[in-house]
Amino acid sequence: MRSLAGLQAFLAVAERGGFTAAAASLGVSASAVSQAVRRLEDELGVTLLARTTRSVGLTEAGRRLVGRVGPALRQAVAALDEAGAEGGVAGLLRLTVPSIALDAVVAPALPGLVAAHPRLTIEVSVDNRLVDVVAGGYDAGIRLGEAIERDMVAARLTGPFRFVVVGAPSYLAAWGRPASPQALRRHRCIVFRAPSTGALLRWDLERQGRSYEVAVEGPLISDSAELMLRAARDGLGLAYLYEPMAAADLARGALAIVLEEYAPEVPGFFLYFPRSARNEPKLRAFLAHARRASGLAGGPPAPV
């Protein structure tokens, strides 16, 4: 590796006629260029540059070396520059994501990502459990911010959003609107079972700094947020969902928010991965496109 660095420094001096100009082209100091060339000469046992106080010229050995390795080294540097320009984004990117992140994060990012990086293949595994990405052989996962292990790097993908209690007009007409979190116990609710633990999740609500944790019951239990959304739309009961998922139904009046003043805000979705993968080009590319699609500025991963 030192020989390669010395070759690059030597060729820069030969092409630009001096150490100062060569150093400027390489982005290093003139003394660093001089030392790299001197080490190369020592390794080869020949003098490549004839130095005086006023000028630098090639020796016969130096001219031969320029003719032999100059074109090849320039081609190698050009190839490296080309790979760097593409960001080295190639190969297989394996992601584990919860179903609720598909429409919010993954699907909007894919068109731009695929178009920009044709040598990249994306594999998306949908799993509502909190997956160990290292043990599962994944490059990264997507989860809500508060559900990420502390030894992972977490990079923001979306802004914060709310979890809301929603119901169809037909349900609200038949059962009325709950006036308080405690009133939910008298309503038919669609319950989520956590895939990781098997526990039935309580509904977390808050207002003016006070938290309410409500155990609800109803006609349907599922670990599918999509099924819960459809069941709420069909009037089976109230559902507790993240607001962007229900946005289209809320906009057209198929669902309505109840207890809105109690809706809690969560940090949003994050990409999580091991610290050793922090500078992986394919992860950085996905992060940039996902952030752009969600309206966030691009940039490198930043721990929460």
Side-chain angles (χ1 to χ4, degrees), residues 113-297:
L113 183 64
V114 170
H117 305 291
R119 296 188 297 137
L120 179 67
T121 300
I122 305 100
E123 179 181 339
V124 179
S125 175
V126 180
D127 195 330
N128 290 321
R129 298 172 300 167
L130 184 59
V131 176
D132 184 332
V133 294
V134 175
Y138 296 100
D139 294 291
I142 297 175
R143 291 296 181 267
L144 292 173
E146 70 269 23
I148 293 172
E149 297 294 334
R150 291 295 182 182
D151 60 351
M152 291 278 127
V153 172
R156 179 176 291 279
L157 292 172
T158 71
F161 50 77
R162 300 187 304 175
F163 269 81
V164 293
V165 180
V166 298
S170 60
Y171 174 86
L172 298 177
W175 291 83
R177 290 173 171 263
S180 67
Q182 293 80 3
L184 289 171
R185 295 190 177 94
R186 299 191 296 273
H187 277 262
R188 295 167 63 83
C189 297
I190 300 163
V191 187
F192 183 78
R193 186 182 294 280
S196 300
T197 64
L200 299 179
L201 292 192
R202 297 168 180 257
W203 292 5
D204 291 318
L205 303 172
E206 62 182 39
R207 184 183 184 186
Q208 298 178 347
R210 181 179 176 184
S211 298
Y212 303 84
E213 189 178 78
V214 184
V216 296
E217 297 179 351
L220 177 65
I221 299 172
S222 178
D223 63 359
S224 168
E226 291 80 4
L227 178 59
M228 295 170 64
L229 174 64
R230 176 162 184 169
R233 192 166 54 228
D234 290 342
L236 273 66
L238 300 176
Y240 182 73
L241 303 167
Y242 88 108
E243 191 171 10
M245 183 179 187
D249 289 311
L250 292 169
R252 64 187 181 91
L255 289 174
I257 298 176
V258 299
L259 297 174
E260 185 166 12
E261 64 273 25
Y262 292 91
E265 186 176 82
V266 296
F269 284 113
F270 288 76
L271 187 73
Y272 71 101
F273 48 88
R275 294 188 181 278
S276 59
R278 187 184 188 99
N279 293 316
E280 277 284 343
K282 58 187 177 181
L283 281 180
R284 295 171 71 89
F286 175 80
L287 177 61
H289 284 274
R291 281 176 165 174
R292 192 175 301 120
S294 69
L296 295 180

Side-chain angles (χ1 to χ4, degrees), residues 95-100 102 124-128:
L95 301 174
T96 172
V97 306
S99 57
I100 61 172
L102 291 176
V124 179
S125 175
V126 180
D127 195 330
N128 290 321

